[in-house]
């Protein structure tokens, strides 16, 4: 029994986050050996099988690898036998000849093959967070799983060939071979996440984890680690909301993309990407128990497949009705390494939510690429058309700086969506990111900015009047920054020329009496009589 093994083998080593394995392993060096082991086809005796496998294996590590690869690709999980254990033999020779077994048989065959190969190997048993595991459940009674420890390079290492071979479907009626490298020589600090041995020495950890902590700790499946994720907070699988809110964060090695689902739908959350992870705030809108899943994918992955990396249960006692997000809000929210990569640098507002009391805000970026920017404003309770809402945002360009001036039409929560495309590209704009703009002041009621036409150049600027709605029967002051222009006229009931001041602004006044619209027109060339419309203002009705 393992008790007799002296404890000097159990050198505890914390996870330094550099490797998922307890032994430095170069998988490329195994490629030839792996390919060879998969082709070996011997069914007469375990001895003959091992002899054949070891032809290409020199070191102890290579011998263990060949045995591991063969078992993971040739023994399938016996879903029928699992339900009818009395008819099932877990003897190594029977496992070999039928080609199927349950964990007990995988671990027994592994142990015997190692023994024949002259490698110290133990069959271990304990509790596992495998098929049928429910978040936060307790473990009592007999152990439910078996795996192995092998002795290599002066210390013990853990592996689980059952879980390395593939997976069973939810109804536990069908096994699928799907090789999983994660369970070969897994670092003990990671293995303990879903394997709790009967004898705590075999955790290979100091101090050893107690069962209560094993039960409460968050289950990280192998995707979590293979994708390069490092930690999740909170570390327990069941979270109590506080005042209707739960906060989750994930740390990872490199830039990753994340999504989430609350009860199967991506809603009631605010997720922000960080350089090395993400943070998520969730506000369930119903009390009770809710499943929260978090998905991740590498930022380099070409295919759009997110893998589930975490599953929490949220226990929600009260609902925060005041925090409701607009349906047009897209996750993640706010600027991030992703928007930076698309050319939006140095945001004036690094946070996802912009709070404004007077209904106005101004967001600036440095554009790191030669891009055209398009924006839109969305709200759940707005009677305005999308085209009209768009006119509540004004773009101002100064060199490679862009400013988005926003005047909200009313109080509430708005989504500011930002799209971009390369100036050289004829195609459509791509969605990049969005902000949540929040204004609680019910007095707010800003008019739209004036309408601009195609001749209004990107680096023109309106200093006044900013409001697209001018008062009736008034003298209105105009001040515009335009360049490469010969003449500027303001067309109301009469025509008013603007004059160019020393500092390059076009200035003047116009009277709004007797008209419903006012246009600004420019003359690009003094020799031509042709004027282009660049701006249009409405005039308040009497």
């Amino acid at each position: 029994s393992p008790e007799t093994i002296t404890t000097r083998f159990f050198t505890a080593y914390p996870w330094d986050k550099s490797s998922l394995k307890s032994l430095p392993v170069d998988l490329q060096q195994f490629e030839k050996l792996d390919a060879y082991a998969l082709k070996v086809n011997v069914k007469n005796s375990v001895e003959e099988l091992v002899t054949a496998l070891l032809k290409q294996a020199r070191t102890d590590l290579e011998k263990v690898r060949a045995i591991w690869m063969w078992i993971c690709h040739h023994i399938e999980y016996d879903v029928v036998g699992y339900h009818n254990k009395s008819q099932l033999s877990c003897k190594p020779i029977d496992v070999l000849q039928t080609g199927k077994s349950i964990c007990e048989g995988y671990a027994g065959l592994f142990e015997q093959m190692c023994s024949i190969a002259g490698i110290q190997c133990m069959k271990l048993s304990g509790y596992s967070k495998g098929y049928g595991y429910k978040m936060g459940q307790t473990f009592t009674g007999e152990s439910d799983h078996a795996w192995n420890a092998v002795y290599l390079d002066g210390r013990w290492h853990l592996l689980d060939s059952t879980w390395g071979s593939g997976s069973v479907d939810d109804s536990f009626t069908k096994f699928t071979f799907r090789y999983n490298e994660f369970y070969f020589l897994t670092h003990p600090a990671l293995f303990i996440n879903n394997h709790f041995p009967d004898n705590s020495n075999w955790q290979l950890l100091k101090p050893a984890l107690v069962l209560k902590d094993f039960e409460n700790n968050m289950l990280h499946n192998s995707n979590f680690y293979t994708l390069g994720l490092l930690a999740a907070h909170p570390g327990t699988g069941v979270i109590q909301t506080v005042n209707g809110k739960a906060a989750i964060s994930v740390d990872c090695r490199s830039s990753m993309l994340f999504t989430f689902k609350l009860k199967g739908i991506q809603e009631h959350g605010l997720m922000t990407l960080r350089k090395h992870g993400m943070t998520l705030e969730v506000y369930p809108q119903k009390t009770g128990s809710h499943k929260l899943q978090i998905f991740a994918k590498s930022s380099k992955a070409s295919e759009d497949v997110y893998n589930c990396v975490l599953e929490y249960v949220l226990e929600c006692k009260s609902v925060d009705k005041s925090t409701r997000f607009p349906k047009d809000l897209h996750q993640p929210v706010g600027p991030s390494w992703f928007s930076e990569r698309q050319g939006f640098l140095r945001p004036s507002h690094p946070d996802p939510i912009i709070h404004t009391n007077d209904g106005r805000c101004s967001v600036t970026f440095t554009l790191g690429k030669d891009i055209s920017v398009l924006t839109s404003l969305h709200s759940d309770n707005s009677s305005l058309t999308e085209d009209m809402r768009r006119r509540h945002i004004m773009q101002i360009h100064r060199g490679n700086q862009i400013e988005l001036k926003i005047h909200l039409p009313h109080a509430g929560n708005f989504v500011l969506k930002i799209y971009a495309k390369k100036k050289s590209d004829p195609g459509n704009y791509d969605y990049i990111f969005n902000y949540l703009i929040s204004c609680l002041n019910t007095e707010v009621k800003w008019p739209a900015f004036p309408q601009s036409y195609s001749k209004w150049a990107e680096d023109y600027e309106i200093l006044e009047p900013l409001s697209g709605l001018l008062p009736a029967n008034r003298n209105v002051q105009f001040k515009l920054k335009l360049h490469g222009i010969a003449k500027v006229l303001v067309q109301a009931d009469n025509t008013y020329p603007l004059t160019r001041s020393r500092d390059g602004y076009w200035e003047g006044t116009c009277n709004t009496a007797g008209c419903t619209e006012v246009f600004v027109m420019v003359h690009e060339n003094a020799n031509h009589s042709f004027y282009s419309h660049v701006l249009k203002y409405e005039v308040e009705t009497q």
Side-chain angles (χ1 to χ4, degrees):
S1 84
E3 265 76 11
T4 58
I5 295 174
T6 57
T7 51
R8 71 187 171 82
F9 295 138
F10 300 103
T11 40
Y13 38 108
W15 188 37
D16 65 358
K17 298 184 179 174
S18 65
S19 167
L20 304 180
K21 298 194 182 296
S22 52
L23 199 66
V25 168
D26 177 0
L27 295 178
Q28 282 178 309
Q29 290 193 332
F30 285 147
E31 276 174 8
K32 268 203 179 107
L33 176 66
D34 288 354
Y36 170 77
L38 297 194
K39 289 199 188 75
V40 170
N41 186 14
V42 176
K43 286 283 163 84
N44 308 338
S45 76
V46 182
E47 286 75 9
E48 278 182 50
L49 171 59
V50 174
T51 308
L53 283 172
L54 297 194
K55 281 188 179 143
Q56 297 285 323
R58 295 184 324 281
T59 66
D60 282 358
L61 174 59
E62 286 174 357
K63 291 173 185 175
V64 169
R65 178 70 178 189
I67 293 169
W68 157 269
M69 277 319 256
W70 191 91
I71 291 181
C72 286
H73 290 84
H74 292 85
I75 307 298
E76 65 173 291
Y77 195 86
D78 188 349
V79 283
V80 178
Y82 173 83
H83 293 295
N84 187 5
K85 295 200 178 67
S86 60
Q87 303 296 305
L88 184 74
S89 162
C90 287
K91 282 196 192 127
I93 185 62
D94 295 332
V95 173
L96 173 63
Q97 289 179 343
T98 58
K100 54 173 65 168
S101 189
I102 58 173
C103 56
E104 188 71 24
Y106 279 88
L109 178 59
F110 204 101
E111 183 184 32
Q112 187 171 15
M113 289 174 76
C114 282
S115 162
I116 294 166
I119 288 156
Q120 280 194 72
C121 175
M122 299 291 303
K123 186 173 84 171
L124 306 176
S125 57
Y127 296 131
S128 72
K129 294 183 179 179
Y131 174 80
Y133 167 70
K134 294 276 183 293
M135 189 79 64
Q137 75 172 59
T138 54
F139 291 89
T140 50
E142 290 291 291
S143 56
D144 61 25
H145 191 49
W147 58 91
N148 297 95
V150 290
Y151 192 72
L152 294 169
D153 284 6
R155 63 179 176 190
W156 289 95
H157 302 270
L158 302 167
L159 45 80
D160 184 340
S161 57
T162 311
W163 289 9
S165 65
S167 57
V168 201
D169 64 342
D170 285 343
S171 60
F172 213 78
T173 50
K174 185 169 173 287
F175 170 82
T176 309
F177 275 112
R178 189 185 294 113
Y179 176 68
N180 192 337
E181 177 63 48
F182 180 73
Y183 292 106
F184 179 68
L185 310 184
T186 317
H187 195 296
L190 310 184
F191 203 74
I192 189 63
N193 189 257
N194 45 20
H195 293 75
F196 191 83
D198 293 337
N199 172 346
S200 63
N201 280 338
W202 284 112
Q203 294 180 21
L204 306 185
L205 295 171
K206 278 201 171 64
L209 197 70
V210 295
L211 182 60
K212 190 89 210 113
D213 289 338
F214 176 73
E215 290 170 342
N216 291 337
N217 281 354
M218 183 69 210
L219 170 63
H220 298 160
N221 61 24
S222 56
N223 285 332
F224 182 91
Y225 296 112
T226 27
L227 281 166
L229 304 185
L230 300 172
H233 313 278
T236 53
V238 180
I239 306 174
Q240 311 288 338
T241 60
V242 177
N243 300 330
K245 167 185 160 182
I248 289 97
S249 66
V250 178
D251 301 331
C252 54
R253 252 175 241 286
S254 56
S255 308
M256 304 274 302
L257 293 164
F258 293 88
T259 62
F260 71 91
K261 281 183 180 169
L262 182 65
K263 294 181 91 165
I265 304 168
Q266 183 172 299
E267 61 179 4
H268 308 315
L270 184 81
M271 184 179 82
T272 48
L273 289 184
R274 301 194 319 271
K275 195 78 169 176
H276 294 293
M278 71 91 163
T279 52
L280 171 64
E281 292 179 357
V282 190
Y283 300 84
Q285 293 298 304
K286 285 199 179 87
T287 56
S289 240
H290 307 300
K291 180 157 101 169
L292 172 68
Q293 294 164 294
I294 292 170
F295 303 82
K297 75 167 187 175
S298 151
S299 61
K300 296 173 193 68
S302 50
E303 63 276 12
D304 204 31
V305 181
Y306 281 86
N307 285 294
C308 183
V309 290
L310 289 170
E311 233 176 71
Y312 287 100
V313 173
L314 298 190
E315 298 286 356
C316 185
K317 301 264 191 299
S318 67
V319 170
D320 176 355
K321 286 283 182 216
S322 65
T323 309
R324 308 274 296 266
F325 300 116
K327 61 177 189 302
D328 283 310
L329 188 67
H330 198 82
Q331 308 290 340
V333 186
S336 65
W337 61 264
F338 179 79
S339 51
E340 196 169 285
R341 195 179 280 184
Q342 310 298 318
F344 291 83
L345 314 179
R346 291 192 276 289
S348 57
H349 295 69
D351 293 328
I353 305 183
I354 299 172
H355 295 279
T356 162
N357 188 41
D358 71 355
R360 294 184 298 184
C361 60
S362 160
V363 187
T364 60
F365 304 94
T366 301
L367 296 181
K369 297 180 175 175
D370 199 21
I371 48 179
S372 298
V373 177
L374 187 71
T375 56
S376 60
L377 200 60
H378 305 260
S379 153
D380 284 353
N381 51 0
S382 184
S383 51
L384 300 175
T385 63
E386 180 166 353
D387 205 45
M388 200 55 207
R389 287 195 303 266
R390 208 166 239 149
R391 282 189 39 209
H392 284 265
I393 312 167
M394 185 163 70
Q395 280 189 39
I396 301 163
H397 292 256
R398 303 180 186 94
N400 63 352
Q401 291 272 321
I402 180 173
E403 179 187 351
L404 304 175
K405 247 192 217 313
I406 296 138
H407 287 183
L408 297 178
H410 50 77
N413 280 338
F414 290 83
V415 181
L416 169 65
K417 291 200 173 182
I418 299 175
Y419 303 79
K421 74 178 184 77
K422 282 206 189 84
K423 285 199 174 142
S424 52
D425 280 3
N428 294 332
Y429 283 82
D430 289 325
Y431 167 78
I432 311 294
F433 67 117
N434 59 185
Y435 280 101
L436 178 62
I437 301 177
S438 177
C439 176
L440 301 175
N441 181 353
T442 51
E443 308 286 290
V444 161
K445 192 173 184 291
W446 290 99
F449 293 109
Q451 196 172 337
S452 58
Y453 296 104
S454 58
K455 284 283 185 190
W456 179 263
E458 193 173 73
D459 45 5
Y460 288 178
E461 196 178 327
I462 305 173
L463 284 94
E464 55 180 348
L466 282 177
S467 167
L469 188 61
L470 303 178
N473 303 317
R474 289 273 176 82
N475 281 331
V476 176
Q477 188 71 33
F478 276 78
K479 185 174 183 182
L480 307 171
K481 187 178 173 186
L482 317 167
H483 51 80
I485 295 293
K487 274 187 193 167
V488 183
L489 300 178
V490 177
Q491 172 80 55
D493 199 26
N494 295 318
T495 304
Y496 303 87
L498 301 185
T499 53
R500 192 166 173 204
S501 64
R502 277 225 183 98
D503 48 11
Y505 294 110
W506 291 87
E507 298 181 73
T509 50
C510 106
N511 192 290
T512 58
C515 64
T516 57
E517 295 176 327
V518 171
F519 292 93
V520 177
M521 304 186 300
V522 299
H523 213 43
E524 289 167 45
N525 186 326
N527 304 331
H528 289 217
S529 59
F530 185 71
Y531 279 90
S532 308
H533 288 68
V534 288
L535 294 175
K536 172 184 163 185
Y537 290 85
E538 313 278 327
V539 178
E540 280 177 352
T541 50
Q542 286 296 284

